[in-house]
């Protein structure tokens, strides 16, 4: 017989013994657009190991101090 699992009574779930795979980690991409602005977006890899956008993309410009400032947001990519 398999033993039944007992809830831990408010304790945290133990860490997984398997490392985080590339499919579960997010990456941030910064792409330069032709007009001098930058597109900042996050991605995860799908089953075919291709990056898929997660969330909205931010369109940014560089200010006088060299920091990216958000100008607009692109909506969710619907494929």
């Amino acid at each position: 017989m398999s033993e039944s699992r007992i809830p831990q009574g408010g304790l945290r779930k133990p860490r997984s013994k398997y490392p985080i795979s590339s499919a579960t980690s997010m990456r941030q991409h910064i792409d330069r657009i032709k007009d001098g602005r930058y597109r900042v977006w996050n991605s995860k890899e799908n089953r075919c190991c291709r990056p898929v956008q997660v969330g909205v993309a931010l369109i940014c410009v560089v200010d006088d101090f060299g920091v990216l400032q958000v100008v607009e947001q692109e909506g969710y990519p619907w494929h």
Side-chain angles (χ1 to χ4, degrees):
M1 282 182 117
S2 64
E3 60 184 53
S4 62
R5 296 195 139 243
I6 301 172
Q8 298 296 318
L11 298 177
R12 286 186 165 179
K13 180 179 167 184
R15 285 192 140 183
S16 173
K17 57 184 173 182
Y18 304 105
I20 296 174
S21 67
S22 62
T24 58
S25 62
M26 286 184 34
R27 295 189 178 138
Q28 186 178 41
H29 303 270
I30 301 175
D31 300 329
R32 185 153 196 247
I33 306 173
K34 291 181 182 178
D35 60 358
R37 299 183 300 169
Y38 293 88
R39 185 173 184 266
V40 181
W41 57 287
N42 296 316
S43 71
K44 284 187 175 184
E45 291 182 351
N46 63 4
R47 293 185 303 186
C48 302
C49 296
R50 305 190 90 183
V52 176
Q53 181 176 332
V54 176
V56 297
L58 303 174
I59 305 298
C60 303
V61 295
V62 179
D63 66 2
D64 296 335
F65 301 103
V67 180
L68 289 174
Q69 296 292 326
V70 178
V71 177
E72 61 183 277
Q73 286 185 342
E74 286 184 357
Y76 289 93
W78 302 108
H79 299 285

